[in-house]
Amino acid sequence: MTKITILAGGVGGARFTRGLLAHLRTADPSASVTVVANTGDDLWLAGLRVCPDLDSIMYTLGGANDDERGWGRKGESERVSAELTAYGVGWPWFTLGDLDLGTHIARSAWLREGLPLSEATARLSARWNLGVTLLPATDDEVETIVTVAADGEEASVAEDMHFEEWWVRLHASRPALAFTQRNVATSRPAPGVLEAIADADVVMLAPSNPVVSIGTVLGIPGIADAVRSTPAPVVGVSPIIGGGVVRGMADACLSAIGVETSALAVAEHYGSRRDGGLIDAWLVDEVDADAVAVLEAGGIRSIARPLWFNSVEETGAIAAAALALADVRHSGG
Ligand code: GDP
Ligand code: CA
């Protein structure tokens, strides 16, 4: 049985995993997939624990995602959010749909009973038949805080805010100076995370935001070391195509940590495992074919092929190419 472990953010991670599962259904039906999801975007809002990336993965794999909008539940309404706004509770610009609120209420109820997030996630996932084991990177509340530059107008000095406020309210319009993981030093990986990395046949870095999705997962003490030391090959798929971010605003995050928005620079940021880094192999889009020779010279196996998630089938072919580059021979069936 092939064991695959994916480190993932929300939408990019969810779409990649959905494609991988489509590929495995015929190529290796007995393969088991574990997704370790970013929890840095999580927050308490209106008394509820909201976990955007876990839920994007759950809804997408569960077939309940609003694919047109990209996130949240399909067939969603927002009556409860309108009530909350009338009371001045929560963030009016961070709309929680009614169906989505059901998820947050259930999760918060379990957390208040004292269950860890990983257990609450397992209970939520049980309903959806995900086809993967979905694990939060950590059970601890480690939220991403952005130090945002002064804008010279309302904000005359730099200020700290929750990642979601910078991302959703400000659309990353004010430059980020730094990202901090609040309470990270004392946090621990959720149960099963280190084992899933150490015991895998292949570890995959989804084409998720390298800073605030994958970077946050890797920031939980022990996870990066587990990736460095796993006997499994580690393969990543570039979230950057032709110097652009495909969807979203990942460039605003990369520039804050001094990494160029390119497929090559992100791979070099992760680094070759040969030299103490995190990856053995890296897929780039065909428009970034020039990076392949540079990466190979630097100890990272690489191929160039289309990396656009135009359909589940095409995404499945990308995942298959990643497995092949990692030299994973399907043992299942
Ligand atoms: P978020 O947590 O919802 O922001 O999602 P992730 O961090 O998992 O993924 C966001 C990233 O996915 C974006 O920054 C894009 O670079 C990447 N992405 C989105 N669509 C595609 C696609 O079609 N192909 C590739 N290669 N990357 C994509
Ligand atoms: Ca996210």
Side-chain angles (χ1 to χ4, degrees):
M1 186 182 73
T2 316
K3 287 181 283 185
I4 301 172
T5 297
I6 306 173
L7 308 193
V11 174
R15 290 193 175 161
F16 176 73
T17 304
R18 180 171 59 184
L20 173 72
L21 291 178
H23 162 69
L24 292 174
R25 258 193 295 280
T26 49
D28 190 354
S30 73
S32 77
V33 179
T34 300
V35 180
V36 176
N38 170 43
T39 47
D41 302 2
D42 298 6
L43 72 166
W44 286 102
L45 196 63
L48 302 172
R49 191 67 178 162
V50 179
C51 303
D53 289 1
L54 281 167
D55 290 347
S56 284
I57 295 167
M58 186 169 78
Y59 297 153
T60 299
L61 300 185
N65 195 62
D66 183 337
D67 275 350
E68 233 154 88
R69 189 173 50 172
W71 49 274
R73 296 282 297 271
K74 62 183 166 200
E76 186 60 290
S77 54
E78 292 169 357
R79 298 185 67 196
V80 177
S81 255
E83 289 297 294
L84 293 174
T85 301
Y87 288 122
V89 168
W91 287 336
W93 41 266
F94 196 84
T95 312
L96 300 172
D98 297 332
L99 300 175
D100 193 30
L101 276 162
T103 303
H104 308 320
I105 292 170
R107 172 167 43 227
S108 304
W110 285 320
L111 293 175
R112 283 164 201 277
E113 285 170 18
L115 293 182
L117 178 63
S118 51
E119 179 58 28
T121 303
R123 291 191 183 189
L124 292 170
S125 303
R127 171 183 169 201
W128 293 101
N129 237 319
L130 301 183
V132 305
T133 302
L134 179 58
L135 301 177
T138 177
D139 279 335
D140 300 315
E141 291 179 12
V142 182
E143 299 179 2
T144 300
I145 303 301
V146 190
T147 305
V148 179
D151 68 355
E153 291 165 28
E154 315 130 59
S156 52
V157 290
E159 56 183 322
D160 285 352
M161 61 181 71
H162 191 281
F163 169 73
E164 292 290 356
E165 184 172 1
W166 178 65
W167 195 248
V168 179
R169 184 171 72 83
L170 299 182
H171 298 288
S173 59
R174 279 166 57 194
L177 303 176
F179 297 93
T180 324
Q181 292 176 274
R182 188 157 59 196
N183 298 327
V184 72
T186 54
S187 71
R188 286 173 307 165
V193 168
L194 297 182
E195 295 79 355
I197 295 167
D199 299 343
D201 294 308
V202 57
V203 174
M204 309 183 93
L205 303 190
S208 292
N209 189 309
V211 185
V212 294
S213 291
I214 304 292
T216 335
V217 172
L218 292 170
I220 305 298
I223 296 187
D225 281 341
V227 174
R228 281 190 198 96
S229 62
T230 179
V234 181
V235 57
V237 175
S238 177
I240 306 297
I241 297 178
V245 292
V246 186
R247 293 180 187 94
M249 308 169 282
D251 48 337
C253 303
L254 285 167
S255 49
I257 64 162
V259 175
E260 189 195 318
T261 301
S262 76
L264 175 62
V266 172
E268 288 175 338
H269 166 65
Y270 288 135
S272 167
R273 289 219 301 169
R274 189 189 70 183
D275 305 322
L278 296 160
I279 55 174
D280 299 298
W282 186 248
L283 271 73
V284 302
D285 188 85
E286 53 193 349
V287 301
D288 297 310
D290 287 355
V292 170
V294 185
L295 288 165
E296 296 262 348
I300 298 172
R301 283 202 302 288
S302 183
I303 56 159
R305 70 167 332 275
L307 289 188
W308 285 90
F309 297 168
N310 292 321
S311 67
V312 175
E313 291 69 32
E314 283 179 49
T315 310
I318 295 169
L323 291 174
L325 189 65
D327 200 22
V328 173
R329 295 183 188 89
H330 292 299
S331 58

